[in-house]
PDB file of all heavy atoms in Angstrom:
ATOM      1  N   GLY A   1     131.938  92.091 203.464  1.00  0.00           N
ATOM      2  CA  GLY A   1     130.907  93.007 204.037  1.00  0.00           C
ATOM      3  C   GLY A   1     131.575  94.140 204.832  1.00  0.00           C
ATOM      4  O   GLY A   1     132.717  94.566 204.553  1.00  0.00           O
ATOM      5  N   GLY A   2     130.961  94.632 205.715  1.00  0.00           N
ATOM      6  CA  GLY A   2     131.544  95.685 206.607  1.00  0.00           C
ATOM      7  C   GLY A   2     130.905  97.053 206.280  1.00  0.00           C
ATOM      8  O   GLY A   2     129.937  97.107 205.494  1.00  0.00           O
ATOM      9  N   LYS A   3     131.338  98.148 206.910  1.00  0.00           N
ATOM     10  CA  LYS A   3     130.729  99.326 206.789  1.00  0.00           C
ATOM     11  C   LYS A   3     130.949  99.946 205.365  1.00  0.00           C
ATOM     12  O   LYS A   3     130.163 100.764 204.961  1.00  0.00           O
ATOM     13  CB  LYS A   3     131.442 100.372 207.791  1.00  0.00           C
ATOM     14  CG  LYS A   3     131.117 100.012 209.231  1.00  0.00           C
ATOM     15  CD  LYS A   3     131.679 101.073 210.165  1.00  0.00           C
ATOM     16  CE  LYS A   3     131.239 100.772 211.615  1.00  0.00           C
ATOM     17  NZ  LYS A   3     131.942 101.684 212.585  1.00  0.00           N
ATOM     18  N   ASP A   4     131.980  99.516 204.631  1.00  0.00           N
ATOM     19  CA  ASP A   4     132.118  99.973 203.273  1.00  0.00           C
ATOM     20  C   ASP A   4     131.359  99.177 202.309  1.00  0.00           C
ATOM     21  O   ASP A   4     131.469  99.314 201.110  1.00  0.00           O
ATOM     22  CB  ASP A   4     133.666  99.951 202.977  1.00  0.00           C
ATOM     23  CG  ASP A   4     134.439 100.857 203.818  1.00  0.00           C
ATOM     24  OD1 ASP A   4     133.888 101.926 204.295  1.00  0.00           O
ATOM     25  OD2 ASP A   4     135.576 100.538 204.162  1.00  0.00           O
ATOM     26  N   HIS A   5     130.561  98.198 202.730  1.00  0.00           N
ATOM     27  CA  HIS A   5     129.758  97.326 201.860  1.00  0.00           C
ATOM     28  C   HIS A   5     128.352  97.903 201.744  1.00  0.00           C
ATOM     29  O   HIS A   5     127.733  98.034 202.727  1.00  0.00           O
ATOM     30  CB  HIS A   5     129.745  95.918 202.453  1.00  0.00           C
ATOM     31  CG  HIS A   5     129.078  94.864 201.494  1.00  0.00           C
ATOM     32  ND1 HIS A   5     129.762  94.521 200.385  1.00  0.00           N
ATOM     33  CD2 HIS A   5     127.990  94.285 201.601  1.00  0.00           C
ATOM     34  CE1 HIS A   5     128.984  93.732 199.637  1.00  0.00           C
ATOM     35  NE2 HIS A   5     127.891  93.549 200.411  1.00  0.00           N
ATOM     36  N   HIS A   6     127.959  98.278 200.452  1.00  0.00           N
ATOM     37  CA  HIS A   6     126.695  99.011 200.372  1.00  0.00           C
ATOM     38  C   HIS A   6     125.757  98.277 199.490  1.00  0.00           C
ATOM     39  O   HIS A   6     124.819  98.771 199.060  1.00  0.00           O
ATOM     40  CB  HIS A   6     126.993 100.423 199.733  1.00  0.00           C
ATOM     41  CG  HIS A   6     127.877 101.236 200.502  1.00  0.00           C
ATOM     42  ND1 HIS A   6     127.512 101.786 201.690  1.00  0.00           N
ATOM     43  CD2 HIS A   6     129.143 101.569 200.233  1.00  0.00           C
ATOM     44  CE1 HIS A   6     128.555 102.465 202.203  1.00  0.00           C
ATOM     45  NE2 HIS A   6     129.559 102.403 201.378  1.00  0.00           N
ATOM     46  N   CYS A   7     125.963  96.938 199.264  1.00  0.00           N
ATOM     47  CA  CYS A   7     125.025  96.152 198.392  1.00  0.00           C
ATOM     48  C   CYS A   7     124.923  94.741 199.036  1.00  0.00           C
ATOM     49  O   CYS A   7     125.860  94.036 199.427  1.00  0.00           O
ATOM     50  CB  CYS A   7     125.668  96.115 196.984  1.00  0.00           C
ATOM     51  SG  CYS A   7     124.639  95.246 195.826  1.00  0.00           S
ATOM     52  N   GLY A   8     123.571  94.297 198.909  1.00  0.00           N
ATOM     53  CA  GLY A   8     123.442  92.890 199.318  1.00  0.00           C
ATOM     54  C   GLY A   8     123.220  92.693 200.904  1.00  0.00           C
ATOM     55  O   GLY A   8     123.397  93.653 201.699  1.00  0.00           O
ATOM     56  N   THR A   9     122.879  91.483 201.166  1.00  0.00           N
ATOM     57  CA  THR A   9     122.761  91.150 202.655  1.00  0.00           C
ATOM     58  C   THR A   9     123.791  90.117 202.970  1.00  0.00           C
ATOM     59  O   THR A   9     124.173  89.325 202.142  1.00  0.00           O
ATOM     60  CB  THR A   9     121.370  90.514 202.901  1.00  0.00           C
ATOM     61  OG1 THR A   9     121.164  89.437 202.025  1.00  0.00           O
ATOM     62  CG2 THR A   9     120.243  91.617 202.696  1.00  0.00           C
ATOM     63  N   PRO A  10     124.256  90.103 204.201  1.00  0.00           N
ATOM     64  CA  PRO A  10     125.303  89.129 204.607  1.00  0.00           C
ATOM     65  C   PRO A  10     124.828  87.688 204.466  1.00  0.00           C
ATOM     66  O   PRO A  10     123.729  87.252 204.896  1.00  0.00           O
ATOM     67  CB  PRO A  10     125.624  89.466 206.077  1.00  0.00           C
ATOM     68  CG  PRO A  10     125.034  90.775 206.269  1.00  0.00           C
ATOM     69  CD  PRO A  10     123.917  90.928 205.306  1.00  0.00           C
ATOM     70  N   GLN A  11     125.739  86.822 203.825  1.00  0.00           N
ATOM     71  CA  GLN A  11     125.430  85.508 203.651  1.00  0.00           C
ATOM     72  C   GLN A  11     125.389  84.771 205.052  1.00  0.00           C
ATOM     73  O   GLN A  11     126.290  84.865 205.815  1.00  0.00           O
ATOM     74  CB  GLN A  11     126.499  84.728 202.767  1.00  0.00           C
ATOM     75  CG  GLN A  11     126.102  83.200 202.596  1.00  0.00           C
ATOM     76  CD  GLN A  11     125.019  82.945 201.565  1.00  0.00           C
ATOM     77  OE1 GLN A  11     124.750  83.883 200.845  1.00  0.00           O
ATOM     78  NE2 GLN A  11     124.468  81.869 201.625  1.00  0.00           N
ATOM     79  N   GLY A  12     124.226  84.163 205.444  1.00  0.00           N
ATOM     80  CA  GLY A  12     124.099  83.546 206.727  1.00  0.00           C
ATOM     81  C   GLY A  12     123.673  84.533 207.762  1.00  0.00           C
ATOM     82  O   GLY A  12     123.564  84.145 208.963  1.00  0.00           O
ATOM     83  N   GLY A  13     123.417  85.773 207.428  1.00  0.00           N
ATOM     84  CA  GLY A  13     122.901  86.802 208.381  1.00  0.00           C
ATOM     85  C   GLY A  13     121.547  86.365 209.014  1.00  0.00           C
ATOM     86  O   GLY A  13     120.668  85.701 208.344  1.00  0.00           O
ATOM     87  N   VAL A  14     121.249  86.866 210.254  1.00  0.00           N
ATOM     88  CA  VAL A  14     120.112  86.374 210.955  1.00  0.00           C
ATOM     89  C   VAL A  14     118.879  86.946 210.231  1.00  0.00           C
ATOM     90  O   VAL A  14     117.832  86.252 210.073  1.00  0.00           O
ATOM     91  CB  VAL A  14     120.110  87.081 212.380  1.00  0.00           C
ATOM     92  CG1 VAL A  14     118.833  86.850 213.136  1.00  0.00           C
ATOM     93  CG2 VAL A  14     121.239  86.534 213.189  1.00  0.00           C
ATOM     94  N   VAL A  15     118.940  88.134 209.660  1.00  0.00           N
ATOM     95  CA  VAL A  15     117.614  88.716 209.090  1.00  0.00           C
ATOM     96  C   VAL A  15     117.755  88.673 207.518  1.00  0.00           C
ATOM     97  O   VAL A  15     116.870  89.231 206.879  1.00  0.00           O
ATOM     98  CB  VAL A  15     117.495  90.234 209.504  1.00  0.00           C
ATOM     99  CG1 VAL A  15     117.223  90.378 210.959  1.00  0.00           C
ATOM    100  CG2 VAL A  15     118.736  91.058 209.153  1.00  0.00           C
ATOM    101  N   SER A  16     118.820  88.110 207.024  1.00  0.00           N
ATOM    102  CA  SER A  16     118.960  88.045 205.522  1.00  0.00           C
ATOM    103  C   SER A  16     117.727  87.484 204.875  1.00  0.00           C
ATOM    104  O   SER A  16     117.248  87.979 203.913  1.00  0.00           O
ATOM    105  CB  SER A  16     120.306  87.430 205.080  1.00  0.00           C
ATOM    106  OG  SER A  16     121.378  88.244 205.503  1.00  0.00           O
ATOM    107  N   PRO A  17     117.294  86.219 205.265  1.00  0.00           N
ATOM    108  CA  PRO A  17     116.163  85.664 204.579  1.00  0.00           C
ATOM    109  C   PRO A  17     114.878  86.532 204.597  1.00  0.00           C
ATOM    110  O   PRO A  17     114.148  86.702 203.665  1.00  0.00           O
ATOM    111  CB  PRO A  17     115.915  84.381 205.332  1.00  0.00           C
ATOM    112  CG  PRO A  17     117.234  84.074 205.988  1.00  0.00           C
ATOM    113  CD  PRO A  17     117.820  85.396 206.270  1.00  0.00           C
ATOM    114  N   MET A  18     114.683  87.329 205.800  1.00  0.00           N
ATOM    115  CA  MET A  18     113.479  88.034 205.846  1.00  0.00           C
ATOM    116  C   MET A  18     113.557  89.270 204.952  1.00  0.00           C
ATOM    117  O   MET A  18     112.673  89.675 204.270  1.00  0.00           O
ATOM    118  CB  MET A  18     113.220  88.538 207.317  1.00  0.00           C
ATOM    119  CG  MET A  18     112.149  89.434 207.631  1.00  0.00           C
ATOM    120  SD  MET A  18     112.365  91.162 207.249  1.00  0.00           S
ATOM    121  CE  MET A  18     113.413  91.614 208.707  1.00  0.00           C
ATOM    122  N   LEU A  19     114.757  89.910 204.882  1.00  0.00           N
ATOM    123  CA  LEU A  19     115.139  91.061 204.025  1.00  0.00           C
ATOM    124  C   LEU A  19     115.011  90.659 202.658  1.00  0.00           C
ATOM    125  O   LEU A  19     114.441  91.443 201.761  1.00  0.00           O
ATOM    126  CB  LEU A  19     116.436  91.607 204.343  1.00  0.00           C
ATOM    127  CG  LEU A  19     116.501  92.268 205.723  1.00  0.00           C
ATOM    128  CD1 LEU A  19     117.944  92.707 206.031  1.00  0.00           C
ATOM    129  CD2 LEU A  19     115.571  93.423 205.868  1.00  0.00           C
ATOM    130  N   ALA A  20     115.433  89.465 202.319  1.00  0.00           N
ATOM    131  CA  ALA A  20     115.337  89.037 200.938  1.00  0.00           C
ATOM    132  C   ALA A  20     113.865  88.849 200.469  1.00  0.00           C
ATOM    133  O   ALA A  20     113.478  89.185 199.310  1.00  0.00           O
ATOM    134  CB  ALA A  20     116.044  87.615 200.727  1.00  0.00           C
ATOM    135  N   ASN A  21     113.028  88.208 201.344  1.00  0.00           N
ATOM    136  CA  ASN A  21     111.619  88.111 201.024  1.00  0.00           C
ATOM    137  C   ASN A  21     110.972  89.526 200.884  1.00  0.00           C
ATOM    138  O   ASN A  21     110.041  89.720 200.037  1.00  0.00           O
ATOM    139  CB  ASN A  21     110.904  87.375 202.255  1.00  0.00           C
ATOM    140  CG  ASN A  21     110.878  85.828 202.025  1.00  0.00           C
ATOM    141  OD1 ASN A  21     110.670  85.454 200.940  1.00  0.00           O
ATOM    142  ND2 ASN A  21     111.239  85.027 203.098  1.00  0.00           N
ATOM    143  N   LEU A  22     111.348  90.431 201.729  1.00  0.00           N
ATOM    144  CA  LEU A  22     110.700  91.812 201.720  1.00  0.00           C
ATOM    145  C   LEU A  22     111.124  92.398 200.376  1.00  0.00           C
ATOM    146  O   LEU A  22     110.179  93.118 199.681  1.00  0.00           O
ATOM    147  CB  LEU A  22     111.308  92.630 202.919  1.00  0.00           C
ATOM    148  CG  LEU A  22     110.854  94.041 203.002  1.00  0.00           C
ATOM    149  CD1 LEU A  22     109.294  94.035 203.305  1.00  0.00           C
ATOM    150  CD2 LEU A  22     111.494  94.785 204.268  1.00  0.00           C
ATOM    151  N   TYR A  23     112.304  92.208 199.996  1.00  0.00           N
ATOM    152  CA  TYR A  23     112.634  92.998 198.759  1.00  0.00           C
ATOM    153  C   TYR A  23     112.137  92.269 197.528  1.00  0.00           C
ATOM    154  O   TYR A  23     111.623  92.884 196.543  1.00  0.00           O
ATOM    155  CB  TYR A  23     114.324  92.983 198.497  1.00  0.00           C
ATOM    156  CG  TYR A  23     114.718  94.089 197.609  1.00  0.00           C
ATOM    157  CD1 TYR A  23     114.613  95.421 197.925  1.00  0.00           C
ATOM    158  CD2 TYR A  23     115.278  93.616 196.377  1.00  0.00           C
ATOM    159  CE1 TYR A  23     115.065  96.356 196.979  1.00  0.00           C
ATOM    160  CE2 TYR A  23     115.842  94.535 195.513  1.00  0.00           C
ATOM    161  CZ  TYR A  23     115.669  95.932 195.764  1.00  0.00           C
ATOM    162  OH  TYR A  23     116.008  96.929 194.994  1.00  0.00           O
ATOM    163  N   ILE A  24     112.209  90.892 197.454  1.00  0.00           N
ATOM    164  CA  ILE A  24     111.675  90.176 196.303  1.00  0.00           C
ATOM    165  C   ILE A  24     110.180  90.283 196.143  1.00  0.00           C
ATOM    166  O   ILE A  24     109.622  90.052 195.133  1.00  0.00           O
ATOM    167  CB  ILE A  24     112.097  88.660 196.381  1.00  0.00           C
ATOM    168  CG1 ILE A  24     112.342  88.167 194.913  1.00  0.00           C
ATOM    169  CG2 ILE A  24     111.076  87.844 197.174  1.00  0.00           C
ATOM    170  CD1 ILE A  24     113.532  88.579 194.180  1.00  0.00           C
ATOM    171  N   ASN A  25     109.460  90.671 197.320  1.00  0.00           N
ATOM    172  CA  ASN A  25     108.125  91.009 197.216  1.00  0.00           C
ATOM    173  C   ASN A  25     107.738  92.042 196.203  1.00  0.00           C
ATOM    174  O   ASN A  25     106.608  91.920 195.629  1.00  0.00           O
ATOM    175  CB  ASN A  25     107.563  91.436 198.560  1.00  0.00           C
ATOM    176  CG  ASN A  25     106.009  91.490 198.646  1.00  0.00           C
ATOM    177  OD1 ASN A  25     105.338  90.575 198.306  1.00  0.00           O
ATOM    178  ND2 ASN A  25     105.566  92.722 198.963  1.00  0.00           N
ATOM    179  N   ARG A  26     108.658  92.936 195.926  1.00  0.00           N
ATOM    180  CA  ARG A  26     108.366  93.926 194.867  1.00  0.00           C
ATOM    181  C   ARG A  26     108.165  93.238 193.520  1.00  0.00           C
ATOM    182  O   ARG A  26     107.371  93.719 192.572  1.00  0.00           O
ATOM    183  CB  ARG A  26     109.564  94.926 194.834  1.00  0.00           C
ATOM    184  CG  ARG A  26     109.711  95.716 196.113  1.00  0.00           C
ATOM    185  CD  ARG A  26     110.893  96.614 196.182  1.00  0.00           C
ATOM    186  NE  ARG A  26     110.715  97.688 195.159  1.00  0.00           N
ATOM    187  CZ  ARG A  26     111.665  98.624 194.928  1.00  0.00           C
ATOM    188  NH1 ARG A  26     112.874  98.497 195.558  1.00  0.00           N
ATOM    189  NH2 ARG A  26     111.494  99.660 194.127  1.00  0.00           N
ATOM    190  N   LEU A  27     109.042  92.203 193.320  1.00  0.00           N
ATOM    191  CA  LEU A  27     108.889  91.426 192.006  1.00  0.00           C
ATOM    192  C   LEU A  27     107.529  90.764 191.854  1.00  0.00           C
ATOM    193  O   LEU A  27     106.864  90.790 190.976  1.00  0.00           O
ATOM    194  CB  LEU A  27     110.066  90.474 191.824  1.00  0.00           C
ATOM    195  CG  LEU A  27     109.887  89.401 190.783  1.00  0.00           C
ATOM    196  CD1 LEU A  27     110.016  90.007 189.331  1.00  0.00           C
ATOM    197  CD2 LEU A  27     110.905  88.282 190.934  1.00  0.00           C
ATOM    198  N   LEU A  28     107.196  90.080 193.002  1.00  0.00           N
ATOM    199  CA  LEU A  28     106.014  89.324 193.186  1.00  0.00           C
ATOM    200  C   LEU A  28     104.716  90.255 193.057  1.00  0.00           C
ATOM    201  O   LEU A  28     103.692  89.919 192.344  1.00  0.00           O
ATOM    202  CB  LEU A  28     105.932  88.484 194.385  1.00  0.00           C
ATOM    203  CG  LEU A  28     106.984  87.537 194.544  1.00  0.00           C
ATOM    204  CD1 LEU A  28     106.933  86.767 195.966  1.00  0.00           C
ATOM    205  CD2 LEU A  28     107.071  86.464 193.455  1.00  0.00           C
TER     206      LEU A  28
END
């Protein structure tokens, strides 16, 4: 990851599950 990383959410990140739910909601 880091500043040069422009894709995905950090594995184990604090808000990663929430952001994943927010994004996958478009599919649902």
Side-chain angles (χ1 to χ4, degrees):
K3 293 183 179 179
D4 297 329
H5 188 69
H6 303 291
C7 181
T9 59
Q11 182 73 22
V14 176
V15 296
S16 292
M18 185 273 288
L19 294 175
N21 270 317
L22 183 64
Y23 199 70
I24 211 71
N25 184 58
R26 299 175 68 185
L27 169 71
L28 301 177

